[in-house]
Amino acid sequence: MVLAKTNDPNAASAPDGYIDGNALAGPLSEIFVVDVTAATSRCAHCGCTAPLACLHVYGHVPGLVARCQQCGQVVLRVVRAKGVAWLDMSGAASLAIPLGEE
């Protein structure tokens, strides 16, 4: 199994062990055509609504785990293996993705 990793050199020294949701940009770009870090998610647990980039991302587990910045519950997980990516968004009540259309 290949872990989804961030290219952020500051990830190991991040406060509280997490980095911001921008770390999801690379791994999620393999799944989505648009930049989903600008998308607005709503936490299924507490209802907090904010850009994915605001989530607290932990990368020292198999894959990346993104937790709500408000309540700390898991919003999404992404794990890569050879030829496949698993995306669990069960902690997101919704995801609004800007399409750049006028």
Side-chain angles (χ1 to χ4, degrees):
M1 177 183 304
V2 178
L3 303 180
K5 294 184 180 177
T6 177
N7 293 328
D8 188 338
N10 299 317
S13 62
D16 299 326
Y18 73 85
I19 51 180
D20 71 33
N22 287 306
L24 298 169
L28 291 181
S29 71
E30 295 180 280
I31 301 169
F32 295 100
V33 177
V34 297
D35 177 12
V36 294
T37 60
T40 301
S41 65
R42 185 165 57 91
C43 178
H45 303 280
C46 73
C48 178
T49 302
L52 241 54
C54 293
L55 296 174
H56 295 178
V57 178
Y58 298 84
H60 49 74
V61 295
L64 295 174
V65 174
R67 294 183 173 271
C68 176
Q69 67 276 16
Q70 184 80 28
C71 71
Q73 293 293 317
V74 174
V75 175
L76 71 83
R77 297 175 187 93
V78 60
V79 177
R80 290 190 71 238
K82 188 174 182 180
V84 66
W86 286 275
L87 178 61
D88 171 9
M89 295 187 62
S90 58
S94 65
L95 184 65
I97 302 170
L99 299 176
E101 299 173 348
E102 296 287 325

XYZ file of all heavy atoms in Angstrom:
724
model
N 0.846 -1.178 0.000
C 0.000 0.000 0.000
C 0.887 1.234 0.000
O 1.867 1.313 0.716
C -0.899 -0.005 1.246
C -1.765 1.233 1.344
S -2.768 1.314 2.835
C -3.670 -0.198 2.741
N 0.550 2.204 -0.832
C 1.253 3.475 -0.893
C 0.442 4.504 -0.124
O -0.753 4.638 -0.350
C 1.425 3.946 -2.356
C 2.106 5.285 -2.413
C 2.190 2.911 -3.155
N 1.066 5.198 0.790
C 0.363 6.202 1.566
C 0.226 7.482 0.771
O 1.131 7.865 0.051
C 1.117 6.503 2.865
C 1.371 5.322 3.783
C 2.111 5.787 5.016
C 0.077 4.651 4.168
N -0.912 8.129 0.897
C -1.064 9.456 0.314
C -0.216 10.386 1.149
O -0.312 10.401 2.360
C -2.523 9.883 0.338
N 0.662 11.121 0.517
C 1.581 11.973 1.257
C 1.481 13.403 0.772
O 1.119 13.671 -0.355
C 3.021 11.488 1.081
C 3.271 10.141 1.696
C 4.713 9.762 1.568
C 4.946 8.401 2.198
N 6.300 7.954 2.031
N 1.855 14.293 1.634
C 1.937 15.690 1.274
C 3.381 16.026 0.946
O 4.295 15.363 1.426
C 1.423 16.590 2.414
O 1.591 17.947 2.009
C 2.167 16.351 3.702
N 3.589 17.026 0.134
C 4.940 17.483 -0.176
C 5.368 18.618 0.734
O 6.384 19.246 0.501
C 5.015 17.940 -1.636
C 4.834 16.785 -2.587
O 5.230 15.672 -2.283
N 4.231 17.039 -3.726
N 4.603 18.889 1.767
C 4.890 19.990 2.681
C 6.050 19.620 3.591
O 5.944 18.711 4.408
C 3.656 20.311 3.516
C 3.816 21.571 4.345
O 4.965 21.982 4.623
O 2.790 22.143 4.725
N 7.205 20.315 3.482
C 8.355 19.993 4.319
C 8.121 20.314 5.784
O 8.846 19.833 6.653
C 9.484 20.862 3.738
C 8.773 21.994 3.076
C 7.463 21.438 2.588
N 7.114 21.123 6.097
C 6.837 21.490 7.484
C 5.869 20.543 8.166
O 5.518 20.734 9.328
C 6.263 22.910 7.543
C 7.234 23.923 6.989
O 8.421 23.855 7.269
N 6.745 24.838 6.179
N 5.429 19.505 7.474
C 4.405 18.608 8.013
C 4.841 17.956 9.322
O 4.055 17.842 10.252
C 4.044 17.544 6.992
N 6.090 17.544 9.414
C 6.544 16.854 10.620
C 6.607 17.781 11.825
O 6.450 17.343 12.963
C 7.909 16.221 10.368
N 6.835 19.060 11.600
C 6.980 19.989 12.713
C 5.744 20.852 12.921
O 5.791 21.850 13.615
C 8.194 20.887 12.472
O 8.003 21.643 11.296
N 4.615 20.457 12.329
C 3.389 21.247 12.431
C 2.854 21.228 13.862
O 3.011 20.248 14.568
C 2.341 20.707 11.468
N 2.192 22.321 14.292
C 1.635 22.356 15.642
C 0.545 21.302 15.801
O -0.236 21.073 14.896
C 1.065 23.768 15.758
C 0.806 24.193 14.351
C 1.874 23.506 13.526
N 0.529 20.649 16.922
C -0.462 19.614 17.229
C -0.429 18.447 16.242
O -1.365 17.671 16.168
C -1.881 20.201 17.275
C -2.024 21.268 18.351
O -1.379 21.135 19.401
O -2.771 22.218 18.125
N 0.610 18.338 15.438
C 0.759 17.217 14.526
C -0.037 17.290 13.243
O -0.043 16.360 12.468
N -0.733 18.396 12.974
C -1.513 18.487 11.742
C -1.029 19.643 10.880
O -0.340 20.534 11.335
C -3.009 18.654 12.029
C -3.401 20.018 12.547
C -3.659 21.060 11.673
C -3.504 20.257 13.904
C -4.006 22.321 12.147
C -3.851 21.508 14.383
C -4.101 22.529 13.500
O -4.439 23.771 13.971
N -1.382 19.574 9.612
C -1.139 20.658 8.667
C -2.496 21.063 8.113
O -3.485 20.348 8.300
C -0.167 20.224 7.555
C -0.620 18.905 6.932
C 1.244 20.120 8.109
C 0.269 18.402 5.836
N -2.573 22.177 7.407
C -3.886 22.620 6.930
C -4.335 21.811 5.708
O -3.575 21.061 5.129
C -3.930 24.131 6.687
C -3.138 24.594 5.483
O -3.047 23.853 4.486
O -2.628 25.715 5.525
N -5.595 21.999 5.377
C -6.225 21.217 4.316
C -5.653 21.403 2.937
O -5.992 20.646 2.024
N -4.781 22.382 2.736
C -4.132 22.533 1.436
C -3.285 21.309 1.096
O -2.978 21.069 -0.072
C -3.274 23.802 1.402
C -4.131 25.042 1.322
O -4.969 25.164 0.433
N -3.954 25.958 2.255
N -2.918 20.527 2.091
C -2.152 19.300 1.871
C -2.949 18.272 1.083
O -2.392 17.332 0.526
C -1.704 18.706 3.202
N -4.264 18.444 1.013
C -5.116 17.524 0.263
C -5.091 17.799 -1.237
O -5.560 16.982 -2.025
C -6.565 17.635 0.760
C -6.802 17.252 2.221
C -8.201 17.668 2.640
C -6.586 15.769 2.419
N -4.563 18.941 -1.658
C -4.601 19.354 -3.067
C -3.981 18.308 -3.992
O -4.587 17.934 -4.997
C -3.921 20.707 -3.253
N -2.792 17.856 -3.692
C -2.115 16.884 -4.556
C -2.844 15.554 -4.652
O -3.207 15.114 -5.748
N -3.083 14.891 -3.502
C -3.760 13.602 -3.565
C -5.164 13.679 -4.177
O -5.555 12.793 -4.941
C -3.844 13.166 -2.096
C -2.695 13.854 -1.439
C -2.576 15.172 -2.155
N -5.921 14.729 -3.881
C -7.279 14.827 -4.426
C -7.298 15.255 -5.886
O -8.281 15.021 -6.587
C -8.138 15.767 -3.577
C -8.481 15.246 -2.181
C -9.347 16.246 -1.434
C -9.170 13.890 -2.236
N -6.190 15.850 -6.378
C -6.143 16.230 -7.795
C -6.097 14.997 -8.694
O -6.404 15.077 -9.873
C -4.945 17.137 -8.076
O -3.733 16.411 -7.998
N -5.734 13.856 -8.127
C -5.742 12.608 -8.889
C -7.165 12.065 -9.041
O -7.422 11.216 -9.889
C -4.876 11.563 -8.201
C -3.409 11.932 -8.158
C -2.594 10.870 -7.462
O -2.590 10.864 -6.219
O -1.984 10.057 -8.179
N -8.097 12.552 -8.217
C -9.470 12.068 -8.235
C -10.404 13.090 -8.878
O -11.252 12.750 -9.683
C -9.942 11.745 -6.797
C -9.033 10.676 -6.183
C -11.398 11.299 -6.789
C -9.221 10.473 -4.697
N -10.232 14.375 -8.518
C -11.102 15.440 -9.001
C -10.369 16.304 -10.024
O -9.177 16.532 -9.895
C -11.540 16.347 -7.845
C -12.405 15.663 -6.833
C -11.879 15.207 -5.641
C -13.757 15.489 -7.067
C -12.674 14.579 -4.692
C -14.572 14.868 -6.129
C -14.021 14.405 -4.941
N -11.103 16.808 -11.010
C -10.517 17.668 -12.033
C -10.293 19.079 -11.491
O -9.351 19.753 -11.861
C -11.420 17.711 -13.284
C -10.868 18.657 -14.327
C -11.568 16.317 -13.866
N -11.152 19.536 -10.582
C -11.045 20.884 -10.023
C -10.247 20.848 -8.717
O -10.073 19.800 -8.107
C -12.444 21.493 -9.747
C -13.210 21.655 -11.039
C -13.215 20.654 -8.763
N -9.783 22.003 -8.275
C -9.075 22.121 -7.003
C -10.101 22.106 -5.876
O -10.761 23.097 -5.613
C -8.258 23.416 -6.967
C -7.562 23.639 -5.636
O -7.507 22.698 -4.809
O -7.068 24.750 -5.411
N -10.223 20.983 -5.197
C -11.248 20.859 -4.172
C -10.872 21.521 -2.854
O -11.713 21.643 -1.973
C -11.673 19.397 -3.919
C -12.362 18.829 -5.130
C -10.511 18.557 -3.496
N -9.639 21.986 -2.708
C -9.295 22.674 -1.463
C -10.054 23.991 -1.346
O -10.211 24.527 -0.258
C -7.785 22.917 -1.314
O -7.312 23.715 -2.401
C -7.020 21.603 -1.259
N -10.549 24.509 -2.474
C -11.369 25.722 -2.454
C -12.843 25.401 -2.229
O -13.651 26.295 -1.991
C -11.208 26.486 -3.766
N -13.194 24.116 -2.284
C -14.588 23.705 -2.062
C -14.968 23.930 -0.604
O -14.129 23.907 0.287
C -14.751 22.229 -2.414
N -16.245 24.139 -0.382
C -16.759 24.348 0.969
C -17.396 23.057 1.456
O -18.281 22.509 0.797
C -17.807 25.481 0.978
O -17.175 26.674 0.500
C -18.330 25.730 2.380
N -16.917 22.576 2.600
C -17.481 21.360 3.180
C -18.284 21.715 4.424
O -18.057 22.746 5.050
C -16.376 20.369 3.548
O -15.565 20.882 4.578
N -19.237 20.841 4.745
C -19.992 21.005 5.980
C -19.822 19.739 6.790
O -20.113 18.643 6.322
C -21.470 21.260 5.704
C -22.253 21.550 6.988
C -23.616 22.146 6.725
N -24.466 21.351 5.886
C -25.338 20.427 6.350
N -25.456 20.218 7.625
N -26.079 19.764 5.508
N -19.321 19.886 8.013
C -19.080 18.757 8.903
C -20.407 18.093 9.259
O -21.355 18.759 9.675
C -18.362 19.238 10.160
S -18.071 17.926 11.379
N -20.468 16.779 9.104
C -21.674 16.030 9.425
C -21.926 15.968 10.927
O -23.029 15.696 11.360
C -21.576 14.614 8.858
N -20.902 16.247 11.715
C -21.022 16.130 13.173
C -21.488 17.426 13.828
O -22.411 17.421 14.630
C -19.698 15.669 13.772
C -19.220 14.381 13.193
N -19.696 13.155 13.590
C -18.332 14.129 12.206
C -19.113 12.206 12.890
N -18.274 12.769 12.037
N -20.832 18.551 13.491
C -21.152 19.812 14.179
C -21.763 20.867 13.268
O -22.214 21.899 13.732
C -19.913 20.382 14.866
S -18.685 21.083 13.731
N -21.743 20.635 11.949
C -22.322 21.579 11.011
C -21.406 22.708 10.598
O -21.809 23.584 9.832
N -20.159 22.713 11.064
C -19.203 23.758 10.680
C -19.038 23.764 9.163
O -18.823 22.726 8.549
C -17.858 23.506 11.361
S -16.586 24.696 10.919
N -19.145 24.936 8.557
C -18.993 25.101 7.116
C -17.770 25.966 6.842
O -17.666 27.070 7.369
C -20.250 25.764 6.517
O -21.375 24.943 6.829
C -20.143 25.918 5.020
N -16.846 25.448 6.032
C -15.605 26.161 5.726
C -14.937 25.493 4.528
O -15.274 24.359 4.179
C -14.667 26.148 6.931
N -13.977 26.178 3.906
C -13.225 25.559 2.807
C -12.465 24.314 3.293
O -12.042 24.254 4.451
C -12.235 26.644 2.380
C -12.842 27.920 2.848
C -13.576 27.574 4.108
N -12.301 23.343 2.411
C -11.529 22.153 2.738
C -10.135 22.531 3.233
O -9.561 21.835 4.073
C -11.401 21.267 1.502
C -11.977 19.866 1.550
C -13.422 19.847 1.946
C -11.741 19.144 0.271
N -9.596 23.626 2.725
C -8.254 24.063 3.111
C -8.143 24.369 4.605
O -7.047 24.410 5.147
C -7.833 25.284 2.303
N -9.249 24.564 5.283
C -9.242 24.865 6.720
C -9.207 23.612 7.589
O -8.979 23.705 8.802
C -10.463 25.701 7.100
S -10.437 27.350 6.393
N -9.449 22.437 6.997
C -9.443 21.203 7.778
C -8.053 20.931 8.340
O -7.052 21.351 7.773
C -9.881 20.021 6.910
C -11.312 20.068 6.375
C -11.542 18.911 5.414
C -12.316 20.047 7.503
N -7.990 20.219 9.444
C -6.717 19.808 10.040
C -6.373 18.430 9.478
O -7.114 17.472 9.713
C -6.829 19.738 11.559
C -7.072 21.068 12.183
N -7.252 21.216 13.531
C -7.164 22.313 11.665
C -7.442 22.493 13.821
N -7.396 23.173 12.691
N -5.265 18.344 8.759
C -4.893 17.117 8.056
C -3.742 16.429 8.780
O -2.723 17.053 9.080
C -4.495 17.417 6.597
C -4.058 16.141 5.879
C -5.654 18.081 5.858
N -3.939 15.150 9.046
C -2.926 14.321 9.696
C -2.438 13.301 8.687
O -3.237 12.601 8.072
C -3.514 13.618 10.923
C -3.973 14.593 11.977
C -5.238 15.182 11.910
C -3.135 14.960 13.017
C -5.657 16.094 12.867
C -3.550 15.870 13.980
C -4.810 16.431 13.898
O -5.218 17.336 14.838
N -1.115 13.225 8.512
C -0.557 12.336 7.501
C 0.298 11.222 8.055
O 0.918 10.494 7.312
N 0.338 11.047 9.365
C 1.183 10.014 9.952
C 0.401 8.724 10.208
O 0.732 7.934 11.079
C 1.847 10.520 11.233
C 0.893 11.167 12.197
N 0.005 10.468 12.953
C 0.680 12.462 12.484
C -0.714 11.303 13.675
N -0.320 12.528 13.405
N -0.651 8.507 9.445
C -1.461 7.294 9.492
C -1.525 6.757 8.061
O -1.079 7.435 7.150
C -2.883 7.595 10.027
C -2.833 8.057 11.458
C -3.590 8.633 9.181
N -2.062 5.580 7.838
C -2.203 5.140 6.444
C -3.074 6.122 5.660
O -4.273 6.190 5.875
C -2.880 3.772 6.566
C -2.515 3.306 7.930
C -2.455 4.555 8.779
N -2.460 6.919 4.825
C -3.178 7.925 4.052
C -3.261 9.246 4.785
O -2.494 9.518 5.701
N -4.196 10.087 4.353
C -4.412 11.386 4.981
C -5.772 11.380 5.656
O -6.753 10.902 5.092
C -4.374 12.500 3.936
C -3.043 12.718 3.221
C -3.210 13.760 2.113
C -1.978 13.150 4.196
N -5.828 11.907 6.864
C -7.075 12.029 7.609
C -7.308 13.508 7.840
O -6.457 14.192 8.417
C -7.008 11.276 8.951
C -8.265 11.527 9.772
C -6.804 9.795 8.722
N -8.456 14.027 7.385
C -8.792 15.442 7.547
C -9.898 15.564 8.593
O -10.960 14.968 8.449
C -9.235 16.041 6.221
N -9.615 16.343 9.632
C -10.559 16.520 10.735
C -11.127 17.935 10.737
O -10.461 18.880 10.326
C -9.879 16.243 12.071
C -9.469 14.787 12.227
C -8.862 14.516 13.601
N -8.633 13.106 13.791
C -9.523 12.260 14.302
N -10.702 12.702 14.687
N -9.249 10.994 14.431
N -12.335 18.052 11.220
C -13.012 19.341 11.325
C -12.217 20.266 12.240
O -11.768 19.852 13.316
C -14.419 19.139 11.884
S -15.331 20.666 12.182
N -12.045 21.507 11.798
C -11.301 22.479 12.587
C -12.084 22.926 13.817
O -11.513 23.457 14.764
C -10.881 23.682 11.735
C -12.027 24.544 11.247
C -12.679 24.019 9.976
O -12.504 22.877 9.566
N -13.458 24.866 9.333
N -13.377 22.670 13.836
C -14.233 23.092 14.948
C -14.353 22.000 16.012
O -14.064 22.231 17.172
C -15.628 23.441 14.414
C -16.592 23.982 15.451
C -16.345 25.447 15.741
O -15.861 26.172 14.878
N -16.650 25.862 16.936
N -14.769 20.791 15.603
C -15.063 19.738 16.584
C -14.037 18.611 16.610
O -14.037 17.798 17.520
C -16.457 19.159 16.344
S -16.611 18.142 14.848
N -13.168 18.520 15.594
C -12.130 17.493 15.575
C -12.563 16.150 15.011
O -11.748 15.223 14.936
N -13.809 16.007 14.597
C -14.269 14.743 14.025
C -13.715 14.568 12.612
O -13.418 15.534 11.922
C -15.802 14.700 13.990
C -16.439 14.662 15.349
C -16.133 13.365 16.079
O -16.171 12.285 15.507
N -15.808 13.483 17.357
N -13.588 13.320 12.163
C -13.073 13.023 10.831
C -14.097 13.448 9.777
O -15.256 13.051 9.831
C -12.741 11.531 10.679
C -12.343 11.204 9.245
C -11.630 11.128 11.642
N -13.644 14.269 8.822
C -14.491 14.713 7.717
C -14.212 13.859 6.479
O -15.128 13.422 5.802
C -14.282 16.211 7.407
C -15.060 16.640 6.179
C -14.677 17.057 8.616
N -12.932 13.618 6.186
C -12.609 12.764 5.047
C -11.288 12.056 5.253
O -10.451 12.478 6.044
C -12.625 13.542 3.723
C -11.556 14.562 3.394
C -10.312 13.908 2.821
C -12.094 15.535 2.373
N -11.142 10.961 4.500
C -9.901 10.183 4.491
C -9.579 9.869 3.034
O -10.485 9.610 2.242
C -10.067 8.850 5.222
C -10.394 8.939 6.673
C -10.649 7.514 7.221
N -11.120 7.547 8.570
C -12.396 7.546 8.938
N -13.351 7.526 8.041
N -12.734 7.560 10.211
N -8.306 9.880 2.702
C -7.880 9.461 1.371
C -6.650 8.559 1.530
O -5.707 8.889 2.232
C -7.598 10.667 0.422
C -6.510 11.559 0.940
C -7.286 10.196 -0.978
N -6.717 7.387 0.906
C -5.642 6.401 0.959
C -5.392 5.917 -0.454
O -6.342 5.662 -1.208
C -6.020 5.193 1.864
C -4.917 4.146 1.859
C -6.308 5.652 3.280
N -4.122 5.796 -0.812
C -3.744 5.304 -2.136
C -3.074 3.949 -2.020
O -2.334 3.694 -1.088
C -2.768 6.262 -2.814
C -3.393 7.571 -3.219
C -2.475 8.390 -4.097
N -2.357 7.775 -5.413
C -1.202 7.392 -5.963
N -0.076 7.547 -5.334
N -1.187 6.856 -7.155
N -3.339 3.123 -2.996
C -2.619 1.867 -3.180
C -2.296 1.793 -4.670
O -2.748 2.643 -5.443
C -3.473 0.686 -2.745
N -1.560 0.814 -5.072
C -1.173 0.717 -6.467
C -2.418 0.663 -7.365
O -3.217 -0.255 -7.278
C -0.311 -0.517 -6.688
C 0.289 -0.591 -8.058
C 1.249 -1.736 -8.182
C 1.871 -1.737 -9.561
N 2.819 -2.838 -9.702
N -2.599 1.705 -8.170
C -3.675 1.745 -9.137
C -5.058 2.087 -8.610
O -6.031 2.031 -9.347
N -5.173 2.451 -7.325
C -6.490 2.759 -6.771
C -6.363 3.776 -5.642
O -5.350 3.838 -4.959
C -7.195 1.467 -6.259
C -6.462 0.873 -5.079
C -8.642 1.726 -5.925
N -7.402 4.601 -5.501
C -7.461 5.551 -4.385
C -8.798 5.366 -3.691
O -9.831 5.217 -4.348
C -7.323 6.986 -4.881
N -8.783 5.346 -2.363
C -10.015 5.266 -1.578
C -10.279 6.633 -0.995
O -9.405 7.240 -0.389
C -9.882 4.268 -0.430
C -9.900 2.841 -0.852
C -10.993 2.057 -1.064
C -8.771 2.014 -1.104
N -10.611 0.793 -1.440
C -9.245 0.729 -1.472
C -7.389 2.215 -1.071
C -8.419 -0.321 -1.785
C -6.554 1.176 -1.386
C -7.072 -0.078 -1.733
N -11.501 7.100 -1.169
C -11.909 8.386 -0.627
C -13.141 8.163 0.233
O -14.186 7.743 -0.262
C -12.223 9.377 -1.752
C -12.713 10.753 -1.333
C -11.663 11.480 -0.481
C -13.071 11.580 -2.543
N -13.006 8.413 1.529
C -14.122 8.287 2.474
C -14.519 9.688 2.898
O -13.734 10.391 3.529
C -13.689 7.461 3.686
C -14.715 7.461 4.811
O -15.847 7.947 4.613
O -14.367 6.981 5.906
N -15.712 10.107 2.519
C -16.205 11.434 2.886
C -17.439 11.319 3.765
O -18.295 12.198 3.770
C -16.501 12.245 1.618
C -15.248 12.539 0.821
S -15.530 13.657 -0.554
C -16.082 15.099 0.301
N -17.524 10.251 4.542
C -18.705 10.023 5.366
C -18.888 11.085 6.455
O -19.989 11.259 6.968
C -18.672 8.626 5.987
O -17.510 8.454 6.774
N -17.830 11.812 6.783
C -17.936 12.868 7.783
C -18.308 14.223 7.212
O -18.416 15.205 7.936
N -18.506 14.281 5.898
C -18.906 15.532 5.243
C -20.385 15.445 4.882
O -20.786 14.572 4.116
C -18.074 15.782 3.989
N -21.182 16.341 5.453
C -22.603 16.371 5.115
C -22.797 16.880 3.700
O -23.735 16.477 3.006
C -23.362 17.251 6.108
N -21.919 17.776 3.247
C -21.996 18.280 1.881
C -20.643 18.821 1.454
O -19.774 19.084 2.288
C -23.052 19.387 1.765
O -22.668 20.500 2.537
N -20.484 18.968 0.148
C -19.272 19.533 -0.434
C -19.696 20.393 -1.610
O -20.234 19.880 -2.594
C -18.325 18.421 -0.888
C -16.966 18.829 -1.430
C -16.131 19.486 -0.334
C -16.220 17.630 -1.990
N -19.510 21.698 -1.524
C -19.851 22.624 -2.602
C -18.561 22.957 -3.349
O -17.647 23.555 -2.791
C -20.479 23.896 -2.038
N -18.488 22.561 -4.606
C -17.269 22.716 -5.405
C -17.452 23.844 -6.408
O -18.328 23.780 -7.277
C -16.940 21.412 -6.154
C -16.773 20.271 -5.151
C -15.686 21.580 -6.996
C -16.685 18.903 -5.792
N -16.627 24.912 -6.299
C -16.735 26.011 -7.272
C -16.232 25.544 -8.638
O -15.186 24.932 -8.740
C -15.841 27.101 -6.690
C -14.887 26.397 -5.783
C -15.587 25.157 -5.309
N -17.013 25.837 -9.674
C -16.668 25.402 -11.025
C -16.034 26.502 -11.867
O -15.617 26.261 -12.981
C -17.916 24.861 -11.727
C -18.559 23.656 -11.039
C -19.837 23.261 -11.772
C -17.593 22.497 -10.960
N -15.978 27.715 -11.340
C -15.357 28.809 -12.058
C -16.212 29.352 -13.189
O -15.738 30.075 -14.046
N -17.479 28.989 -13.207
C -18.388 29.483 -14.237
C -19.005 30.796 -13.777
O -19.232 30.995 -12.604
C -19.503 28.463 -14.497
C -18.990 27.149 -14.994
C -20.083 26.104 -15.085
O -21.175 26.330 -14.550
O -19.829 25.061 -15.694
N -19.284 31.650 -14.700
C -19.937 32.932 -14.385
C -21.428 32.785 -14.512
O -21.980 32.100 -15.249
C -19.419 34.029 -15.316
C -17.950 34.304 -15.114
C -17.642 35.048 -13.821
O -18.440 35.903 -13.391
O -16.602 34.763 -13.240
